[in-house]
Each structure stands twice: as C-alpha cells, then as structure tokens.
Amino acid sequence: MTSQPEAGALSHEHVFLGESHDESARRTLWVVLLTTLMMIGEIVAGSVFNSMALLADGFHMATHAGALAVAAGAYAFARRHAHDRRFSFGTGKVGDLAGFASALVLALVALGIGVESVGRLFDPRPVAFGEATLVAVLGLVVNALSALLLSGGHRHGRHHHDHEDHAHHGHRDNNLRSAFAHVLADALTSVLAIVALVAGRYLGWIWLDPVMGIVGAIVIASWSWSLLRDTAGVLLDASDQQLEAEIRQRVEREGDARITDLHVWRVGPGACAAIVSFTGRDTSEAVRRRLTAVHDLAHVTVEAR
C-alpha cells in the first residue's frame, strides 16, 4: 500500500522553492549589475596601471559576473517552471545545479590567478601603485555593498522551527550561497590587492603583489571545494543521516512499526522528500501522522509491507 501526504504540514504540491526565493533573485540581479560595472573599471585600470593584483581582481570579477548571471537565471528558471509537470519533484534543485557550475568557475578562477601570479613572481613588472590602490579600494566598496545585499537574503533564507534544530545543510540555498561565495572571493582579492599595492608603494615589496595573488588563489580554491562538495551531494540525492535518524525515531518510537527501507533526499532549499517502507500492525496513516512533526519533510510516501 502506498499513501501520499495530505494537505497541510506534508504538502503534496511539488513546488519546493526557498522561502525567500523571489527576494534572493532580486538581490542577485542588483549584485550582477554592480559587479559588471566594477569589473569593467578594474580591468581597464589594471591594464593602464600594470597591476597584476588589480588585473587579477578585474578578470576574477568578470568570471564572477558571469557566474552571478547564471545564479540570477537559475532563480528565474526555477520560478517560471515551478509548476511544470516535466519535473517530477519540481525545480527546487535548479539552484544547486547553478551552484555546482559556479563552484567550477571558482576553481578555474583560482587556478588562473595562481598560475599568473607565479609567473609574475619570477618576472616582476613595474606597477602604478597609487592609482591602482584607489581602484582596488573602490572595488572593495562595491564588493562590500554586494555582500551586504546577498547576506540579507542569505539570512532570511533559513527556516526557524520549534522542533529540534538540525545541523545538516537542508536549509541552505546553494544558489544564493554560490553567489555570496563569488562576492566574498571578489572582496578577498580586493583586500589582498590593496595590501600588496600599499606594501609595494611604501616598502618596496614588489614581490608581495604576486604572493597575494597566490594566497587568494588558495583561499578561493578551498571555497570552491566546499561548494562543489555540498551541491554535488544534493544533485546526487545524498541522504541526510541526521534527518534519517529523526524519521526512524518518530516512526518506531510509538506503536508497532519497524522501518525496512528508507530514502531521504533534498528537493529544494529547506525541503526534503522521503519514501518510508515499514512492517508491523500500524497503518500507513498512523505512520504518516507521526512524520508531520518533521518540518523538513515536504513530500512523503509511506508504504506498508
């Protein structure tokens, strides 16, 4: 016997977008605009003033502008096709797909900055420190504003439930998280560029410019790996062990039911689906009622064997 969830806590509707999906989409579009404008300014200034740190920041920002545009497009696609029956479990994971693509871009950016910085370390070139510093500071201001915009959406993107707090990542909007990571990477390279340019101008440490590029590449690569790992887990339907444990406890704690097969996977930010097979004298309706307290579950199928 197979039973589907009733209307209410366990909704059968297949729209699993994040709570602040539309707000996050608007914030991301604004950041795309800011990033594109600053990208153009830094690439032009870096070429004129011959600063590797500034050029790295500019081209780095160019790839981020593209990745942020993908994030904005993912929000639009997910909203437009939210009720499309071609997607069996909705479009809630489109953001994770965009986040995975963005993580790959971050990895390529880190590799590119690292290779170019190593080259400049062994083949230093003169830098117009004063002018380049002014542009880098402006870039940092834009990055800070972009981070502020995205952090607002990131903060409201989480659920707040009265039930026990889950340490898992089921509430994360990985599309917004990837956009935030790109902005933070921009801010990091801006800070490192400023430090390198100031040290080069006043201390004569020209070598610090490419060294900061290498440091930035390492940090960005670590962020890329973290985002790749988390988004890949969602795309591959990796199970949440903590949520599984809660489901087992609620089903088997009362009555006469023992779970024989359990599948739990994420279908959108803050939304998981589950297939629960059990044996025992309890009815499917009784088991389903016990699961209404698990707020992370948005779609449940219960099967008595």
Side-chain angles (χ1 to χ4, degrees):
M1 176 190 302
T2 300
S3 62
Q4 298 293 351
E6 299 174 341
L10 297 179
S11 174
H12 187 56
E13 188 179 19
H14 295 170
V15 178
F16 305 123
L17 305 180
E19 285 188 340
S20 32
H21 179 95
D22 295 332
E23 179 188 357
S24 297
R26 288 191 295 270
R27 291 173 182 271
T28 304
L29 282 174
W30 275 110
V31 173
V32 170
L33 177 61
L34 286 173
T35 302
T36 301
L37 292 175
M38 195 61 227
M39 167 201 74
I40 296 172
E42 287 201 331
I43 290 177
V44 171
S47 300
V48 172
F49 303 138
N50 198 31
S51 167
M52 181 57 226
L54 198 55
L55 275 174
D57 194 23
F59 284 109
H60 177 207
M61 191 170 282
T63 60
H64 288 331
L68 288 166
V70 170
Y75 280 121
F77 182 91
R79 171 59 68 190
R80 185 179 307 113
H81 297 279
H83 298 277
D84 192 331
R85 296 184 64 84
R86 292 179 303 168
F87 302 98
S88 297
F89 284 93
T91 54
K93 288 165 65 171
V94 169
D96 296 286
L97 180 60
F100 185 82
S102 292
L104 290 177
V105 171
L106 273 178
L108 292 174
V109 166
L111 179 62
I113 292 177
V115 170
E116 185 65 24
S117 296
V118 169
R120 289 292 182 97
L121 186 62
F122 293 99
D123 183 23
R125 302 177 187 179
V127 178
F129 293 107
E131 297 88 341
T133 302
L134 290 176
V135 178
V137 169
L138 180 58
L140 180 58
V141 171
V142 171
N143 291 328
L145 179 58
S146 297
L148 184 62
L149 281 170
L150 292 177
S151 65
H154 190 71
R155 182 176 60 253
H156 297 304
R158 293 181 178 272
H159 297 272
H160 300 281
H161 299 306
D162 294 330
H163 72 301
E164 55 265 43
D165 180 35
H166 292 299
H168 54 79
H169 306 311
H171 299 305
R172 289 187 177 181
D173 180 343
N174 280 326
N175 194 31
L176 185 65
R177 182 184 167 209
S178 68
F180 193 66
H182 280 280
V183 169
L184 285 183
D186 279 337
L188 173 66
T189 53
S190 293
V191 169
L192 295 179
I194 292 170
V195 172
L197 291 167
V198 170
R201 180 177 185 180
Y202 294 104
L203 301 177
W205 295 356
I206 299 177
W207 53 269
L208 192 59
D209 188 67
V211 167
M212 285 301 186
I214 295 173
V215 172
I218 294 173
V219 175
I220 295 167
S222 69
W223 290 347
S224 170
W225 169 248
S226 175
L227 191 55
L228 279 171
R229 181 191 59 218
D230 292 345
T231 53
V234 175
L235 293 174
L236 294 174
D237 294 332
S239 184
D240 187 319
Q241 299 299 315
Q242 192 168 350
L243 186 56
E244 274 197 14
E246 182 182 357
I247 291 172
R248 289 184 181 278
Q249 180 186 27
R250 291 190 180 278
V251 170
E252 300 179 348
R253 180 175 54 187
E254 302 173 3
D256 179 31
R258 292 295 177 267
I259 292 178
T260 58
D261 194 20
L262 176 61
H263 299 275
V264 181
W265 70 100
R266 180 172 161 182
V267 291
C272 291
I275 298 175
V276 183
S277 298
F278 73 96
T279 59
R281 290 176 294 182
D282 286 343
T283 64
S284 296
E285 183 63 26
V287 170
R288 187 170 61 246
R289 281 199 303 269
R290 294 172 199 163
L291 294 176
T292 58
V294 185
H295 295 278
D296 288 344
L297 292 180
H299 188 283
V300 176
T301 300
V302 177
E303 179 184 43
R305 291 185 175 180

